[in-house]
Amino acid sequence: MLSPLAHIHPAARLAPGVTVEPFTTIAADVEIGEGSWIGPNVTIMNGARIGQHCQVFPGAVVSAVPQDLKFAGEHTTAEIGDYTVLRECVTVNRGTVDRGRTVVGSHCLLQAYVHVAHDCVIGHHCVISNSVQIAGHVTVGDWAILGGTSAIHQFVSIGAHAFLGGGSLVRKDVPPFVKAAREPLSYAGVNSVGLRRRGFSEEQVTNLHNLYRLLFLGGMNTQDALARIEAEIVPSVERDQAVEFVRAATRGIIKGPKRDRSAEEAEAE
């Protein structure tokens, strides 16, 4: 159903079964997949590519031009995967010449007031909680969960299955499969609850615990820790994914937790 009170450009490409509620504006260079619901007072601008069975709630703006002074009007897109939900007042800016597109994967939930800046790539099955602010060029892996009001620095990478505590200030890369919290942001353990919910075995979870103990609690520099991980941790997809992520981290990774002085003194005794 297309409301007569919506403004839909004749050149926009809407698949069968799309619903557009009143007072929504849809520009010419827009594609919306079958069965998607576009709520009232939504603005969908040129370059938007919205998948099937998505939901876009009031106040959301999809594919606005980047908030980047280097943007010169190049043709770019903002792509939203199938079954993804954008709640109230979410903003997803389109890309720049850097990547050419901003991408939010399928089966994601972006809660109210989330901002996704230009050239970000968000994986599938991600939950971005209320008021998270994601700067440009950020990459977020599949199944990541970002706690409310977190702020993500530009060019940061967050690994698959990672969990960020609410209010996190993310200045460094966050490896896959971990929890990160505190200020400054640091390793808070393996995301074992999330992994078990997604079918990871106890053996897989245990191996990840052992891997990240070496990396964050072993008292070694990163390169030495990676060498020990490859020598001592049983080869697996998860091990290789973690090692490759850390090696590719251009901003460096978050630190391990600060050790309690009293605990260190007790160990010394």
Side-chain angles (χ1 to χ4, degrees):
M1 181 190 74
L2 306 180
S3 171
L5 297 178
H7 176 77
I8 304 171
H9 194 282
R13 298 173 293 284
L14 277 57
V18 170
T19 296
V20 180
E21 301 288 5
F23 312 117
T24 281
T25 299
I26 298 177
D29 182 22
V30 170
E31 298 178 10
I32 302 177
E34 182 177 356
S36 287
W37 175 78
I38 312 300
N41 294 293
V42 170
T43 303
I44 302 179
M45 304 181 77
N46 285 319
R49 305 288 184 264
I50 298 175
Q52 301 180 26
H53 304 287
C54 293
Q55 298 177 52
V56 183
F57 280 71
V61 180
V62 180
S63 200
V65 297
Q67 298 177 99
D68 183 343
L69 296 177
K70 299 184 299 299
F71 181 69
E74 56 266 30
H75 181 270
T76 58
T77 58
E79 303 171 14
I80 311 297
D82 299 339
Y83 295 94
T84 283
V85 176
L86 309 182
R87 291 302 305 249
E88 293 81 359
C89 300
V90 165
T91 54
V92 181
N93 291 170
R94 62 186 175 100
T96 69
V97 70
D98 178 64
R99 287 180 172 173
R101 60 183 190 152
T102 302
V103 179
V104 177
S106 298
H107 298 276
C108 291
L109 170 60
L110 277 60
Q111 295 181 1
Y113 296 98
V114 165
H115 174 66
V116 180
H118 59 87
D119 301 293
C120 289
V121 177
I122 312 295
H124 305 302
H125 301 280
C126 293
V127 177
I128 317 294
S129 301
N130 292 313
S131 299
V132 170
Q133 305 295 291
I134 304 177
H137 313 277
V138 167
T139 300
V140 179
D142 296 346
W143 296 100
I145 297 176
L146 311 187
T149 72
S150 295
I152 320 299
H153 193 282
Q154 61 186 357
F155 295 103
V156 156
S157 291
I158 297 172
H161 300 277
F163 178 93
L164 289 184
S168 294
L169 302 178
V170 187
R171 307 174 182 93
K172 299 288 187 179
D173 292 355
V174 179
F177 313 112
V178 307
K179 296 181 293 184
R182 309 183 185 96
E183 174 56 32
L185 193 69
S186 56
Y187 172 71
V190 170
N191 185 17
S192 53
V193 172
L195 294 175
R196 291 188 183 103
R197 286 174 177 169
R198 295 165 204 145
F200 283 71
S201 68
E202 289 302 317
E203 180 181 12
Q204 288 173 301
V205 174
T206 297
N207 286 338
L208 286 168
H209 276 293
N210 293 335
L211 184 158
Y212 282 117
R213 284 193 190 102
L214 288 172
L215 182 63
F216 288 115
L217 305 174
M220 297 171 282
N221 65 45
T222 300
Q223 295 308 313
D224 289 344
L226 291 177
R228 280 196 60 185
I229 287 167
E230 292 183 313
E232 298 178 18
I233 303 298
V234 176
S236 66
V237 172
E238 296 80 34
R239 187 202 72 168
D240 293 345
Q241 187 174 349
V243 168
E244 290 169 7
F245 182 98
V246 173
R247 284 212 170 105
T250 57
R251 294 188 55 82
I253 61 170
I254 58 172
K255 302 299 183 182
K258 290 184 178 180
R259 301 197 66 185
D260 182 79
R261 183 178 296 276
S262 60
E264 291 178 351
E265 292 171 351
E267 286 181 6
E269 294 175 357

